[in-house]
Amino acid sequence: MTATKTAIDCDVHPTVPSLKALLPHFDEYWRNSIAERGIPGFESNTYPPRAPISVRQDWKGKNGGGNAATDVTMLSAQVLDRLGAGQAILNCLYGAHLPYSEDMGVAVAKAVNNYIQKEWLDRDPRLRASIVVPTQNIEYAVDEVERMAADKRFVQIQLVTMQETPLGRRHWWPLFAAAVKHDLPIGIHPGSTYRQSMTSLGWPSYYVEDYVSYAQAFQSQLGSLICEGAFAKFPKLKVVLMESGVTWLPGFLWRLSKFWRGVRSEVPWVDRPPGEIVREHVRLTIQPFDAPDDPAITEQMADHLGSDDILLYASDFPHWQFDGDDALPRGLPESLKRKILVDNPLATYPRLREDAR
Amino acid sequence: MNIEVRQADVHSNSKLKIVDVDIHPKSSVEDLKPYLSQRWWDHLVTYGARQRQGYSKGFPYPKMQPMASRRDSWPPDGGLPASNLAFMKQQFLDAYPIEYAIMNPLSPTGQGDQNSDFSAAMAYAANEFQLEGWHNQDSRLLASVVVPFEDAEATKVEVKRRAGDKRFAHVLLKTRTNDLLGKKQYWPVYEAAIEAGLPIGIHVFGTSGRPASSTGWPSFYIEDMTEHASCCQAQVASLVLEGVFDRYPELKIVMIEAGFGWMPSLGWRMDKNWKKLKDEVPHLKKAPSEYMREHIWVSTQPMEETETPEHLLDTMKWIGFDKIMFSSDYPHWDFDDPFLALPPSLDEATRNKIFCENARSLYRLS
Amino acid sequence: MASHVVAAVDEIPPGRRKLVEVAGRNIVVFNLGGDFFALNNRCPHRGGSLAHGITTALVESTVPGEYRCSRAGEMVKCPWHGWEFDIRTGKSWCDPSRLRVRQYTVTVKEGRELVEGPYKAESFPVRVENNYVVVEA
Ligand code: FES
């Protein structure tokens, strides 16, 4: 067991068991359409359900049926009781970001949020969730934030990593305004809208390559958010990079900072070193921590990161990222553990500090 | 920022020799004319280069300095930076103890042009001019085999033509290709390089026509520059995971002008996921990072400058001091000065490896 | 420390600079609207020659999308990696508290004073009727 009663697991994935479970949360038109058009579901391809990293073997439930995270009792038992945490943030990865139709995107996002609210949050007071938004149209995404924000159990706005346009671009900014207004960090999670190929050079042959390539998209998004001035415009904006791999960050910042010193007049609102901006505005969930299982390297990487404030505890349940019951990489200094488990999540998510009920 | 005090390597230290694996002598289209057929010369002057980007001159991410060059690199008698051998000698080749410098021409070379026959004709001309215009004037300047890499057959022809010619150091590709370099369409390029006994150098830039990131077009030059690292990560992952190194165990790849701070994390990330997803890539016989260590060399520039000097050393150690080769990128603005670029704490033997021994053995230079 | 006569005032009109060698040091003298400033020519980053850099405005921004220019010509950009230095203070823009170019005191003196004083004007004759730039180094 990693954690303590007060720990907060910042990246947990409830699985929509089937389209049927979601149907009651669509309106009549979309219920009809789904039936009449024979739409089989909106699961994304990012985590093929049987791929060994999509569901950890020993989390597949009694019969190993592959439905690890489909119900609240099972998820809470594993994430909260077994790994040990007082609260968990649910990030539902169902594919609201995928339809090309803006209207269908809205319908799926709404259904997912309603479903999470009724079937998960209402059933376990220790659970919190991210708002899924239809990124096909930023105005609609803002509408969905406004609709859900009254429920304080929603603590974050969730986006996938690979979008049609980089997230710093200014047409995204109304969404950041809504985020700041409601004390919601922007959480970015691996996933693609499939508007671009999985790498900037095309489509890889293998799934393992797809998954590896998310780390590059995180770098692009972070570069965009910094260079476009999203943090200069919204001094209160917090961005959480979930399941990003973490260890790419120092090398990325060395490179960006080096160029920044020479060409910063192109983006004069970036008026301090990028690393400083990251330390103030950006947080990363700790699983996966892309490094060998070697305490010496973990320690080295923690040192390269240069801040005790930026890592947040996460199990990434039910994805495989580690074995056993300790979700923290070996070699983290003790003093850092408490911060990762409790203090940093609380500092990142203002709504966790409020009584939601 | 690295503010430790740097002492320049003593210039008079006659032992120090440098093999610089990335410099950019500049040629003009007129320089290439003697080596182009009438048909392709006419094409060039009539239609120009068509590089999968919107401008006929310049770039949608304009550089921050003219020709992306050091402002002090413009020859006093006129002409473009690094277009004048006498001045290049004075400012660079003779100012530092340069034993060899590898030329990686970026343009005009026809690489990545929409018209692949034109691309092939230009590559041939660029190679001829590297010999006539440069190497034959100063034998320290080694050429790259510029190839029309989007056309594997034409590439094979050009590499074959240069096989055995010691004046060429490697086969030159750019990082922004139409598709991932691990894909089968590029395998004949690797076969040809191995047959000719040449490493492959992959230099950043190129215009693939695809957005510079996997999440769409960034807005700024600073992002474009930063994205070269993500692009290289995608290329290295592709080469490893698609099985290129299993298929071609003799293949040697040099990543040029990409820095190297991104290497360790990429290796770790691939290893970790490969362990779980092995069954999808049964062609891999060992951990992805082992392929990286065996097959990938990096050039130093633009060298990462870390706040804490040890962080850079940690990174270099992981890559391996026998895989890191010095490059200056002369005459470009992000030039790394040979005397000042390397971390001062590196010992003599390691500096020697990076400055010359690694390149001498990779390129079989005597 | 000695005083060195490095140029006649009209040799460095406003907006121009002159590279001089003083006591074995390369020093670049800038004229900003009649005020003279002398900086060590060697960029503290990797040694680029500041005399070869462009001088330009200070670019600032209070909100993304805004580009505000002020103090035209008062920033020198290193010809290599483009770091900006404030000619008036020698401070770098990117890390002003830790990274700066060494500055030298400059004064303008009348030729009359120079003929008498303890000044070194190695390379040219001083005329009584002219004014001269003097660097302490
Ligand atoms: S040497 Fe002046 S900015 Fe690098």
Side-chain angles (χ1 to χ4, degrees), chain A residues 73-92:
Chain A
T73 328
M74 196 191 205
L75 180 140
S76 295
Q78 186 61 50
V79 168
L80 301 172
D81 304 334
R82 172 129 193 192
L83 297 180
Q87 286 178 301
I89 302 173
L90 304 176
N91 297 310
C92 183

Side-chain angles (χ1 to χ4, degrees), chain C residues 43-48 50 78-83 85:
Chain C
C43 173
H45 176 222
R46 292 288 187 270
L50 296 179
C78 176
W80 286 10
H81 313 108
W83 295 15
F85 296 93

Side-chain angles (χ1 to χ4, degrees), chain A residues 149-164:
Chain A
D151 184 339
K152 299 279 176 140
R153 297 171 302 178
F154 285 93
V155 299
Q156 170 171 258
I157 297 168
Q158 180 189 324
L159 303 173
V160 295
T161 324
M162 295 169 185
Q163 297 283 350
E164 192 163 351

Side-chain angles (χ1 to χ4, degrees), chain A residues 163 165-166 201 203 205 207-209 211-212 219-221 228 247 255 258 266 290 303-304 320-321, chain B residues 179-180 183 215 219 221-222 225 227 233 242 258 265 268-269 272 276 280 303 305-306 311 314:
Chain A
Q163 297 283 350
T165 59
L201 300 156
W203 299 94
S205 303
Y207 172 68
V208 62
E209 234 178 307
Y211 191 77
V212 164
Q219 294 164 46
S220 304
Q221 294 294 25
E228 297 271 1
T247 55
R255 184 175 177 87
K258 172 159 174 151
E266 187 192 25
D290 289 335
D303 179 41
H304 285 205
W320 173 86
Q321 299 295 1
Chain B
D179 206 342
L180 288 157
K183 290 305 199 62
T215 185
S219 303
Y221 174 66
I222 185 173
M225 291 297 286
E227 290 296 351
Q233 291 164 59
E242 303 265 349
S265 177
W268 293 332
R269 184 170 179 83
K272 185 168 182 183
K276 276 285 162 189
E280 197 206 14
M303 181 122 120
E305 290 163 46
T306 57
H311 292 177
D314 292 341

